[in-house]
Amino acid sequence: MSTSRDDPRLGLVEALGAVAFAVMGALTKLAAERDLSLTQLRMVGLLRDRQLTISELALALGLDRSSVSGLVDRTEKRGLVRREPNPADARSVHVTLSTSGHEAFAAGASEMAAMLSSLTDALSPAEAARLTTLLERMLDHRGL
Amino acid sequence: MSTSRDDPRLGLVEALGAVAFAVMGALTKLAAERDLSLTQLRMVGLLRDRQLTISELALALGLDRSSVSGLVDRTEKRGLVRREPNPADARSVHVTLSTSGHEAFAAGASEMAAMLSSLTDALSPAEAARLTTLLERMLDHRGL
DNA sequence: TATTGTTATACTCTATAACTATA
DNA sequence: TATAGTTATAGAGTATAACAATA
């Protein structure tokens, strides 16, 4: 990619970076308020409507299985998730959200929206819709 | 914030979150390829055109001074930054980018643009410009 | 043999608390 | 007294390597 100053995409990269840090900062703060790491928060989000094995979680989170094993240990100790046997394969476990994990997710989701509203409130509904479309186009263009 | 499904801002929050994770993932991968942490990468970026004290870095990075002290230790050991005396205050130090730190930043910046181009290439120049404007409006609306 | 998960180990990141030197 | 930075300590997060159980 060129570094020419009048390439509109250069400003985009910078703006994307700045927004990403702002969003991650808000999410990290939100997680910290509940004494959770960002990774734990992501895991809870992934498990909100399904159960996943350690390997599946590792793939989704981009982590090694051993890292996820410890992550589940700590999150299980906090009562947010549970390990359950996988009837189809005795080697594997299903990680599921506990009741208090579901509650934590529900509370966190609305707080997340509230936190990010300090960003999104800058836009009118029409602009927000246009921005959403553009962001989703970018996301669809590749994997995640 | 409402959870009504037809509120365009709800999709925005989700899209912002997804984009933030995508961008952070790309940046983390980029940093890892150079054996740097994301925090080290951020610090190098902050120092590219100025020198900052430990306290200033801590403020900019949202970290405790003691965390930054160790961070500078490790990055200094890698030869990317240097501690220099602050003539105006003997308690304080100026952290500056070394020559190889500047090289690392230059290489990283173009790689970052290339990596994010998998996202930004989905848009035409006009759309990219519009997106940039919207993102910058959001950023200006608050602090960072 | 290959896969799933765990454990042991090591390093980075981070915060809190206590400290030194300087202001 | 207050501030800048460091150190000691502790816990989370992560990866690699070696392992046990199961497929």
Side-chain angles (χ1 to χ4, degrees):
Chain A
M1 168 169 284
S2 136
T3 50
S4 156
R5 202 59 198 78
D6 43 21
D7 180 346
R9 281 188 186 130
L10 194 69
L12 218 202
V13 165
E14 286 161 5
L16 279 175
V19 166
F21 275 110
V23 170
M24 299 306 282
L27 290 181
T28 300
K29 193 175 154 196
L30 166 60
E33 276 172 9
R34 316 193 148 267
D35 248 313
L36 290 172
S37 71
L38 196 49
T39 307
Q40 286 178 322
L41 195 70
R42 283 182 73 189
M43 184 172 72
V44 167
L46 285 169
L47 294 172
R48 78 185 185 282
D49 56 1
R50 70 204 114 175
Q51 54 183 198
L52 296 171
T53 66
I54 299 285
S55 292
E56 289 166 343
L57 278 172
L59 184 66
L61 294 169
L63 299 175
D64 190 85
R65 289 192 311 255
S66 66
S67 302
V68 174
S69 190
L71 190 67
V72 170
D73 281 350
R74 293 183 291 271
T75 316
E76 192 171 26
K77 212 167 288 173
R78 302 275 307 274
L80 298 180
V81 304
R82 263 194 318 268
R83 278 177 171 92
E84 290 181 349
N86 179 350
D89 186 338
R91 293 172 301 180
S92 141
V93 294
H94 280 152
V95 184
T96 67
L97 223 53
S98 69
T99 305
S100 94
H102 277 107
E103 289 167 0
F105 174 78
S110 66
E111 277 186 48
M112 168 174 163
M115 264 190 154
L116 293 186
S117 72
S118 73
L119 283 171
T120 60
D121 282 357
L123 306 180
S124 72
E127 287 171 328
R130 234 187 311 141
L131 176 57
T132 305
T133 302
L134 290 169
L135 292 176
E136 283 170 350
R137 269 263 292 301
M138 286 202 312
L139 290 167
D140 289 345
H141 187 249
R142 33 157 282 165
L144 186 131
Chain B
M1 169 170 286
S2 137
T3 50
S4 158
R5 201 60 198 79
D6 43 20
D7 179 346
R9 282 187 184 131
L10 194 70
L12 218 203
V13 165
E14 286 160 5
L16 280 174
V19 165
F21 275 111
V23 170
M24 298 306 283
L27 290 181
T28 301
K29 192 175 154 197
L30 166 60
E33 277 172 8
R34 314 192 150 268
D35 248 313
L36 291 173
S37 71
L38 194 50
T39 307
Q40 287 178 322
L41 195 70
R42 284 182 73 189
M43 184 171 72
V44 167
L46 285 169
L47 294 172
R48 77 184 184 283
D49 57 1
R50 69 203 116 175
Q51 55 184 197
L52 297 171
T53 66
I54 299 286
S55 293
E56 289 166 343
L57 278 171
L59 183 66
L61 294 168
L63 299 175
D64 191 84
R65 289 193 310 258
S66 66
S67 302
V68 174
S69 190
L71 190 67
V72 170
D73 280 349
R74 293 182 293 270
T75 316
E76 192 171 26
K77 211 168 290 176
R78 302 275 306 274
L80 298 179
V81 304
R82 263 194 318 268
R83 278 178 171 92
E84 292 180 351
N86 179 349
D89 186 338
R91 293 174 301 180
S92 146
V93 295
H94 280 152
V95 183
T96 67
L97 223 53
S98 69
T99 306
S100 93
H102 277 107
E103 288 167 1
F105 174 78
S110 65
E111 276 185 49
M112 170 175 161
M115 264 189 154
L116 293 186
S117 72
S118 72
L119 284 170
T120 59
D121 283 357
L123 306 180
S124 72
E127 287 171 329
R130 233 186 314 140
L131 177 57
T132 305
T133 302
L134 290 169
L135 292 175
E136 283 170 351
R137 269 264 292 301
M138 286 202 312
L139 291 167
D140 289 345
H141 186 248
R142 34 157 284 164
L144 191 135

